Amino acid sequence: MQNGVVQVGILGCGRIARTRHIPELAANPNACLAGFYNRTLAVAEELASGLGGRAYATPEELLADPFLDAVCVLTPNSSHAELAISALRAGKHVLCEKPMAVSPEECERLAEAERASTNILMIAQNQRFHAAHVKAQKLIASGAIGNVLTVQASFSHGGPSMDANSWFLSKSTGRLGVLGDLGVHKIDLVRFLTGQEIVAIGAVVDTLDKKSKDGGRIELDDNTACLFRLSGGAIGTLTVSWTAYGKPDVSTRICGTLGTIELMRTFEEPLVLYRPGAEPEQIAVESTANSGVIDAFIGAIVSGAPSPVSAASVLPSMRALFAAYESGRTGGNMIRLD
């Protein structure tokens, strides 16, 4: 680090880098944007020219630079695990976008690389940092709604568009469809909120409407509906969609023996607590555009703290995700994970 400032390289300069990670890095006083790689070199050169730092022609060139302390892996899903493992072996701290990998085997390899490294590997499961979710987790842990009985979770929007630069809808680069894109957030969030593990899951996985540039349906799922059971006995549902045109849904509802918590039913009411015989209680939470991911990542590097979201902590979420895909592939039967 240079004078206590983390020198950060960006691997992949697409939409998520430009709209989320780069602005949050630029706003963090303990971080410096020092390097950029993109498959189109001109894009990396443009960012380096405007923000400072250096453009690299290959990922290997960026990872070999000893000046860089940390990297953000923001490339298409198919390369997440490979690049994150290479970065750890190169002695870098690593922030890896979700999903952490696109197969169970890759997930295990990445977790093993994390165990073998003395550096931080953080998976960008940003739902753990949303202020409403953090507050709800504490309320549930304190017993505010009693024992959890049911969970209803949804994450739906119009999905990524198929343009010349899109990789989301391509099986070769995206590898996982809406369940891997949005479902991984909600599966991980359910575990975070309840403090319980998913012990069984079944799913209907389908492609209903999303089309590729040639007019045919994409090879990846654009809609998935899951039924699951938690380790404490609760049952839950999860629906994710890339075809919720016009109105997104990011809500989560958790019902317990003493009350109910609703999260993100509306953006104006991010956290509401319901109890029998009482008026609904809208609980105030901090409103910010900052995801919290970069601040947690940089903060851990500077302070020497453990990873805020380790690969090991995300492995159970990924195992549930791949079990849901397997259930969808084999007819929707429940698959046990315990």
Side-chain angles (χ1 to χ4, degrees):
M1 287 188 289
Q2 302 292 310
N3 299 318
V5 175
V6 182
Q7 307 297 314
V8 183
I10 301 295
L11 289 169
C13 302
R15 184 183 62 84
I16 193 65
R18 291 169 175 265
T19 62
R20 178 65 68 187
H21 297 286
I22 288 175
E24 292 187 10
L25 282 163
N28 189 299
N30 296 117
C32 176
L33 286 158
F36 303 89
Y37 161 77
N38 196 69
R39 60 183 176 178
T40 303
L41 180 59
V43 174
E45 291 174 334
E46 174 193 355
L47 286 169
S49 175
L51 297 170
R54 174 184 169 191
Y56 298 82
T58 66
E60 293 76 17
E61 184 183 0
L62 184 149
L63 293 178
D65 189 342
F67 180 71
L68 299 177
D69 305 305
V71 298
C72 296
V73 178
L74 312 176
T75 52
N77 296 342
S78 57
S79 59
H80 283 180
E82 178 186 355
L83 287 175
I85 291 169
S86 296
L88 286 172
R89 289 175 177 169
K92 312 299 185 189
H93 299 288
V94 182
L95 173 67
C96 181
E97 254 300 341
K98 58 79 193 169
M100 61 186 273
V102 294
S103 72
E105 296 75 20
E106 281 192 346
C107 287
E108 297 293 343
R109 284 181 54 228
L110 184 51
E112 176 56 35
E114 176 183 61
R115 288 191 291 271
S117 176
T118 58
N119 289 330
I120 288 171
L121 170 61
M122 178 178 174
I123 310 301
Q125 296 289 164
N126 59 32
Q127 300 298 296
R128 297 192 191 188
F129 297 94
H130 193 289
H133 297 160
V134 171
K135 180 64 175 177
Q137 187 272 336
K138 292 176 181 176
L139 285 170
I140 293 168
S142 73
I145 62 169
N147 297 324
V148 175
L149 298 174
T150 62
V151 179
Q152 297 165 281
S154 178
F155 201 160
S156 304
H157 56 52
S161 61
M162 175 55 76
D163 58 43
N165 297 312
S166 175
W167 55 262
F168 269 100
L169 302 181
S170 168
K171 190 171 185 178
S172 64
T173 48
R175 293 285 295 276
L176 305 175
V178 68
L179 184 57
D181 179 36
L182 304 183
V184 69
H185 276 309
K186 285 292 183 168
I187 289 172
D188 194 71
L189 177 62
V190 167
R191 295 179 53 237
F192 172 74
L193 290 172
T194 63
Q196 299 181 33
E197 297 297 343
I198 294 174
V199 296
I201 192 166
V204 177
V205 182
D206 209 343
T207 308
L208 301 178
D209 188 66
K210 278 294 176 192
K211 297 177 177 61
S212 60
K213 287 179 286 188
D214 63 9
R217 289 185 181 177
I218 63 171
E219 296 181 88
L220 301 173
D221 52 294
D222 65 10
N223 281 272
T224 294
C226 300
L227 176 67
F228 59 85
R229 184 176 292 278
L230 295 176
S231 53
I235 59 174
T237 60
L238 166 65
T239 57
V240 290
S241 176
W242 275 345
T243 65
Y245 304 124
K247 188 179 187 299
D249 181 5
V250 295
S251 63
T252 306
R253 178 181 172 93
I254 302 173
C255 300
T257 52
L258 300 178
T260 295
I261 282 177
E262 283 189 347
L263 289 157
M264 302 305 295
R265 182 172 57 86
T266 68
F267 291 107
E268 293 75 25
E269 297 179 321
L271 173 54
V272 182
L273 174 63
Y274 299 85
R275 285 171 169 156
E279 291 295 315
E281 181 182 356
Q282 183 176 340
I283 297 175
V285 296
E286 179 185 5
S287 177
T288 175
N290 189 312
S291 72
V293 169
I294 289 296
D295 289 349
F297 179 56
I298 298 299
I301 295 172
V302 172
S303 68
S307 171
V309 186
S310 67
S313 78
V314 180
L315 267 180
S317 300
M318 297 305 296
R319 289 170 181 151
L321 178 88
F322 292 120
Y325 269 120
E326 178 64 13
S327 172
R329 188 185 68 81
T330 57
N333 293 328
M334 296 289 285
I335 293 178
R336 294 204 63 85
L337 295 163
D338 57 353

